[in-house]
Amino acid sequence: MRDPYELLGVRRDATQEEIKAAFRRAAIKHHPDRNQGDPTAQARFAEVNRAYQILSDPGHRKNFDRFGTDPFERGGVSATGGIEDFVDLSNVDGVMGDILSAFGIKNPDRKKVEYRLELSFEEAALGTTREIRYARLEHCKTCGSSGAAPGTPMTSCRNCGGRGKVRSSQGLIPIPLDRPCPACFGRGKMAQTPCVSCRGKGLTKQTRTLEVSLPAGIEHGTARVVEGEGNRIKPGGTYTDLEIQVVVLPHDLFERDGDDVRCRVPISYVQAALGGEITVPTLAGKAKVRVPPTTQSGSVLRLRGQGINHRLRAGKGDQLIEVFVEVPVELSSRARELLVELGQELGENLQPQQRSFMEKLKGLFG
Ligand SMILES: [Zn+2]
Ligand SMILES: [Zn+2]
């Protein structure tokens, strides 16, 4: 892909107005109608159009600036660059737009098909199977997508004279462009007696149910592409791919760190000093963990093999338990007495961390 800024001849910090003006100039210059007999004109025109689609969409532009990515390179949006890649459908109503895109005529404003699938932390860590439901336009079964009631004839469309296209100069570019005929949805033919199921459109809205399996350890932001399950029909009659965006919801206690699972667990003063056993939550349920004597706040204890499945090798990550010492907030008079006594017992004896702190302090003030 060529740099879209270069293609449109604008600076990196160009405003939307500047980009739009540059696009209009470039589109007129490279429009195939203006370059009759030049076989490269169509490709140039498509390139310019693509550059504009990237730079006119703030999200696409930001992604390009940061990663140099072309949003139209992959997935459901075609990057073939035919002239039909640019059909200004801005003044076409929603249903019509859906139908045109179902025939493979892309609305530039339309986002890639995406299904946001939310998973809990545990579902993502352990893997799961989920049923998803979504609506899509499908070929009408009653009429075989012709739009005509079974057994009735089709006639040439009067609106477009059977071409399937009409000339129009509406939209951003002030020169005539072919656009799909709105009367026959670009088919060139019309049903004399429209099919009852689809009211002559050839397509019906159907609810699609799909079972999707998500492997253990699937990460937040992963895109799963299910072939042929998208909600648009390509010109050949097959369906686009469905892109499922995996969203992993945050967990109250767990946090993911590669294949390890981290959690923070409070321990008491006494447990930290004398050691003991604590119960911690794990992906599998609960586990007992030994806290060694003189454990410092912030120490990390490790539960081997209690994390997330490794992807490329056998085994699992670990669970990392960061313990923090909680100072008691309510003291009985007896507890206070004992702490005073403890203080006296420890006296002026500096503990190792205090000692190293005092030394650094001395270094600071000379
Ligand atoms: Zn039908
Ligand atoms: Zn027509």
Side-chain angles (χ1 to χ4, degrees):
M1 178 191 53
R2 282 181 57 195
D3 184 314
Y5 291 98
E6 222 171 88
L7 270 164
L8 294 183
V10 291
R11 290 195 323 270
R12 299 243 143 205
D13 58 354
T15 64
Q16 279 304 318
E17 279 311 303
E18 288 168 337
I19 288 168
K20 202 167 177 174
F23 168 62
R24 193 177 281 126
R25 279 193 304 275
I28 292 168
K29 186 173 158 208
H30 298 298
H31 195 279
D33 282 2
R34 286 266 177 109
N35 296 271
Q36 300 278 352
D38 180 353
T40 64
Q42 182 142 330
R44 288 204 316 271
F45 181 72
E47 229 179 359
V48 159
N49 168 42
R50 209 159 144 208
Y52 177 67
Q53 286 184 39
I54 294 171
L55 298 188
S56 61
D57 178 309
H60 289 339
R61 185 177 178 183
K62 213 159 127 197
N63 275 340
F64 178 81
D65 289 344
R66 287 178 64 191
F67 310 115
T69 49
D70 179 352
F72 306 108
E73 207 112 77
R74 219 172 53 83
V77 181
S78 105
T80 47
I83 193 158
E84 282 188 341
D85 263 358
F86 189 81
V87 178
D88 183 11
L89 299 178
S90 49
N91 56 352
V92 175
D93 68 64
V95 178
M96 199 36 216
D98 269 354
I99 288 165
L100 291 177
S101 28
F103 280 97
I105 299 152
K106 185 168 66 69
N107 180 344
D109 290 326
R110 219 154 223 284
K111 296 282 172 288
K112 189 159 45 188
V113 180
E114 269 178 4
Y115 187 97
R116 230 177 92 94
L117 180 59
E118 288 187 353
L119 299 180
S120 70
F121 187 91
E122 288 92 339
E123 282 177 314
L126 302 169
T128 183
T129 303
R130 286 280 291 267
E131 198 180 83
I132 64 169
R133 286 160 71 85
Y134 58 100
R136 73 172 188 180
L137 286 169
E138 298 196 349
H139 295 290
C140 173
K141 287 186 186 76
T142 312
C143 62
S145 80
S146 72
T152 66
M154 302 280 284
T155 50
S156 183
C157 171
R158 262 175 299 189
N159 189 46
C160 60
R163 284 177 68 236
K165 285 173 181 179
V166 287
R167 292 297 256 181
S168 154
S169 58
Q170 282 168 316
L172 202 55
I173 308 174
I175 40 177
L177 268 182
D178 274 341
R179 64 158 63 233
C181 171
C184 62
F185 309 126
R187 278 182 292 217
K189 281 185 279 184
M190 276 181 103
Q192 275 182 321
T193 316
C195 163
V196 206
S197 310
C198 62
R199 287 198 229 113
K201 294 187 187 92
L203 299 164
T204 51
K205 206 164 200 172
Q206 298 288 335
T207 302
R208 189 118 186 110
T209 308
L210 202 64
E211 206 161 81
V212 192
S213 70
L214 293 314
I218 194 160
E219 281 174 71
H220 176 79
T222 307
R224 290 219 64 180
V225 176
V226 190
E227 238 172 80
E229 291 294 349
N231 69 1
R232 273 187 280 162
I233 301 168
K234 293 194 275 192
T238 54
Y239 290 94
T240 53
D241 299 337
L242 177 73
E243 188 170 319
I244 300 169
Q245 191 83 38
V246 174
V247 174
V248 180
L249 300 172
H251 193 277
D252 283 343
L253 297 168
F254 298 142
E255 208 171 291
R256 187 167 178 168
D257 181 357
D259 292 340
D260 296 336
V261 172
R262 286 184 173 277
C263 72
R264 293 186 82 227
V265 177
I267 56 173
S268 77
Y269 222 60
V270 176
Q271 284 171 317
L274 303 178
E277 202 178 52
I278 55 171
T279 301
V280 299
T282 66
L283 284 173
K286 280 180 197 164
K288 288 203 188 312
V289 180
R290 212 181 64 82
V291 178
T294 69
T295 291
Q296 301 297 322
S297 195
S299 298
V300 175
L301 308 173
R302 191 177 283 266
L303 264 178
R304 294 216 177 268
Q306 294 287 324
I308 293 165
N309 285 27
H310 294 309
R311 222 161 343 146
L312 302 171
R313 55 200 160 98
K316 292 177 173 195
D318 302 333
Q319 179 165 343
L320 305 175
I321 301 140
E322 187 190 326
V323 293
F324 62 96
V325 175
E326 193 171 34
V327 176
V329 282
E330 271 176 37
L331 287 176
S332 65
S333 50
R334 172 82 182 124
R336 180 181 294 274
E337 264 173 43
L338 288 170
L339 282 174
V340 169
E341 219 171 292
L342 176 65
Q344 283 162 355
E345 173 62 23
L346 295 175
E348 296 295 301
N349 287 346
L350 287 180
Q351 299 304 302
Q353 292 209 29
Q354 281 178 305
R355 202 175 302 137
S356 111
F357 174 75
M358 295 304 275
E359 268 154 29
K360 281 180 193 154
L361 207 60
K362 253 187 245 161
L364 200 62
F365 295 112

